[in-house]
Amino acid sequence: MITLQQWRDCEGQPFTLPDGNTLVLESVSMPVAPDGWECFSLLFAAPCELEQGMRTLRHPTLGEEAVFLVPLGPFGATDGAQRFEAVFNRRVANP
């Protein structure tokens, strides 16, 4: 499992899908989470359209990770890129 810090370290970097398309991790958002939980979302941009669903993302350093991507649309982008979001809410060890 890729950690929150590893995702944050990869902002601006590309992730490849099995079909060869590339998604760039644009940002990692971290809302306030209750104690014992790690909550964050990843925003990706890609020049392709994808349906909602599980996707395997490949990164040269982090390896492979399966994530559930939700299409958000172009967000008014002029570059034609589509935006996708992955949301994580997971329990972490108590401090």
Side-chain angles (χ1 to χ4, degrees):
M1 173 176 18
I2 298 175
T3 67
L4 170 58
Q5 187 57 53
Q6 288 172 312
W7 286 116
R8 292 179 76 196
D9 291 344
C10 288
E11 281 183 310
Q13 296 182 18
F15 287 78
T16 305
L17 296 168
D19 66 4
N21 280 310
T22 300
L23 292 89
V24 174
L25 178 57
E26 287 192 330
S27 65
V28 178
S29 299
M30 298 177 307
V32 176
D35 287 340
W37 287 86
E38 182 177 70
C39 303
F40 61 96
S41 66
L42 310 175
L43 183 65
F44 292 93
C48 60
E49 292 190 25
L50 300 170
E51 291 186 19
Q52 176 174 298
M54 290 298 293
R55 303 279 187 237
T56 300
L57 302 179
R58 294 185 181 125
H59 186 270
T61 305
L62 301 179
E64 292 187 354
E65 183 78 12
V67 298
F68 190 87
L69 292 178
V70 176
L72 301 177
F75 270 169
T78 58
D79 60 2
Q82 297 293 312
R83 299 305 189 272
F84 303 91
E85 184 178 40
V87 176
F88 293 81
N89 294 296
R90 55 192 183 196
R91 194 175 255 319
V92 293
N94 289 331

